[in-house]
Amino acid sequence: MRLKSIILFGILLQSAAGFGQEPSEMKKIKGGTFVPLYGTDSSEIYVRDFELDVYPVTNEQFLAFVKKYPKWQRSEVKTLFADNNYLRKWESDTELGKEVVAKAPATTISWYAAKDYCACQGKRLPSMDEWEYVAMASETKANAQTDSIFNKRIVEGYEKPKTYLKPVGSTFKNYWGIYDMHGLVWEWTSDFNSVLISGESRQDVDTERNLFCGSGAVNASNLMDYAAFMRYAFRGSIKANYSIQNLGFRCAKSLKQ
Amino acid sequence: MKFPNSILLAFCSIMLMFNACSNGPTETSENAIYQCPMECEGDKTYTVEGSCPVCKMDLKLTSEETIVDDDADLDNSIFNLTSKWNTEEGETIQLTELNGSVLIVVMIYTTCKAACPRLVADMRNIREKVGDSSARYILVSIDPENDTPERLKAFAIENQMDGEEWTFLQGTVDDVREFSNVLAVKYKQISPIDFSHSNIISVFDENGVLKYQQEGLGVDNSVLVSEVKALLSE
């Protein structure tokens, strides 16, 4: 009897958090071609139609996730999958506490945890190309890469401190109906480790094609896009078990072909 | 990390106490080291519980059980990955099935014309220098869509890497990406048949814990070889 009521309570708790029953809202992104800062040897990239979460995953959503999957709780997680900063500011394994804003983007989460969160929702992390494709949209244009005011605004957003404390949805809604691509937190992508511009890449990476050799800037397709530089450099400098205060994530989904 | 460690430590000490009660002090762990909390005798340590001969205070446990360290280490084991892989022999395995062997791991793809042949040569070279055939040499494809088990088998034969100690692995695109993250290997597909990738050879102990990484092509592999030999002789 007591066990039953505990289970019942657990179910109630979960439905209250809304996890697993009401997947977070997504918007369809119409695919197309674009030129990312770092691309393939044919510099235009084609992105297929896909769906993307409207908002980054929040702390309260991630809390519901770790309650359901205890292996992702702070004291349970394997060091292979998350470093010591993982969920560092949380009050406990299953409480956010005072320092963590429930509606703010979930951060100090490793790539492995983010990946599994999305997988458990039947989703996946967006690829870097997909993320960048959506990130180049301003409020009115799908591609605002050449809009200098838009780019300047993004860079200024990077300079603001502690934006990870703001609730999701507090920045602008872009052309696709997606919020917070800029101005709150950096976001994990599925293939973030395909950026080969870290220090050691010059000696360790197959540079026959000189794609990543020497200064990254020389090969960059859009020298104006300083904000994108910062993003790629950041991705190139992190590892999958890092849990960083201003790095969150959102999920994507492929559309049936 | 402090929290669970201290619990474990407390647990270990409780276990020690039980041991002491039921089986006598001879059963205490060899790894436990006790020291006077006031350090009356400097750095002097004891392997059994008791009191300080100078100040008579109870000796304090100073070193953690090695078991605690091992657990922390196993947390880092690649055997925590649950992904499934196809081998060049057409078998499906999980990494944990490689448990018990020292592993030398590299990521390549078979159509690679530039760095991979040299990486493969490096692997063969390491194999020769290590000599002992109990270590296993694992080549993981970063191009799982093209590198089928059949293709990997053909590549193994072509490169005289078809012995028992060589294993080629094909995973899913996602699992390969995850594996590369564990190895801190970076790669990017730059055309349908080409990848740019880091050239890193990694050594894992028999528990799947990363022990050494060699970065670069055609570099002096003597350090890596001595690491492998040291692990094999443990």
Side-chain angles (χ1 to χ4, degrees), chain A residues 101 103-105 160-171 183-184:
Chain A
V101 183
K103 302 277 184 199
K160 289 191 188 115
K162 296 199 173 178
T163 48
Y164 61 85
L165 293 172
K166 288 190 191 171
V168 300
S170 57
T171 75
L184 278 196

Side-chain angles (χ1 to χ4, degrees), chain A residues 175-196:
Chain A
Y175 175 85
W176 304 106
I178 305 289
Y179 284 85
D180 306 326
M181 293 300 282
H182 306 286
L184 278 196
V185 289
W186 307 90
E187 293 182 18
W188 284 112
T189 55
S190 59
D191 54 348
F192 78 95
N193 72 332
S194 62
V195 179
L196 294 105

Side-chain angles (χ1 to χ4, degrees), chain A residues 89-163:
Chain A
K89 291 198 173 161
W90 285 28
E91 182 77 34
S92 73
D93 272 356
T94 52
E95 288 165 294
L96 296 179
K98 282 182 197 144
E99 275 189 78
V100 180
V101 183
K103 302 277 184 199
T107 60
T108 60
I109 285 161
S110 69
W111 177 84
Y112 300 99
K115 176 174 175 275
D116 205 47
Y117 177 96
C118 293
C120 290
Q121 288 215 326
K123 300 179 185 178
R124 58 175 173 80
L125 286 171
S127 72
M128 198 159 61
D129 288 338
E130 286 170 338
W131 197 96
E132 289 290 327
Y133 181 77
V134 177
M136 70 182 182
S138 64
E139 288 94 331
T140 52
K141 282 185 279 188
N143 184 351
Q145 270 179 321
T146 53
D147 181 339
S148 59
I149 296 167
F150 177 66
N151 282 320
K152 188 162 173 264
R153 210 172 67 195
I154 296 172
V155 175
E156 282 169 1
Y158 291 164
E159 290 165 358
K160 289 191 188 115
K162 296 199 173 178
T163 48

Side-chain angles (χ1 to χ4, degrees), chain B residues 164-194:
Chain B
E164 285 280 297
E165 70 273 39
W166 300 96
T167 303
F168 291 74
L169 297 179
Q170 175 205 34
T172 64
V173 172
D174 267 7
D175 291 338
V176 171
R177 187 56 77 180
E178 181 176 70
F179 191 73
S180 73
N181 272 320
V182 169
L183 264 55
V185 165
K186 301 184 179 206
Y187 66 94
K188 182 170 179 63
Q189 187 158 21
I190 48 177
S191 83
I193 54 155
D194 264 316

Side-chain angles (χ1 to χ4, degrees), chain A residues 71-106:
Chain A
K71 70 168 179 171
W72 290 113
Q73 289 172 8
R74 189 172 60 194
S75 67
E76 295 293 319
V77 74
K78 307 263 186 228
T79 47
L80 184 74
F81 299 131
D83 66 13
N84 284 337
N85 286 326
Y86 181 73
L87 304 180
R88 185 168 51 101
K89 291 198 173 161
W90 285 28
E91 182 77 34
S92 73
D93 272 356
T94 52
E95 288 165 294
L96 296 179
K98 282 182 197 144
E99 275 189 78
V100 180
V101 183
K103 302 277 184 199

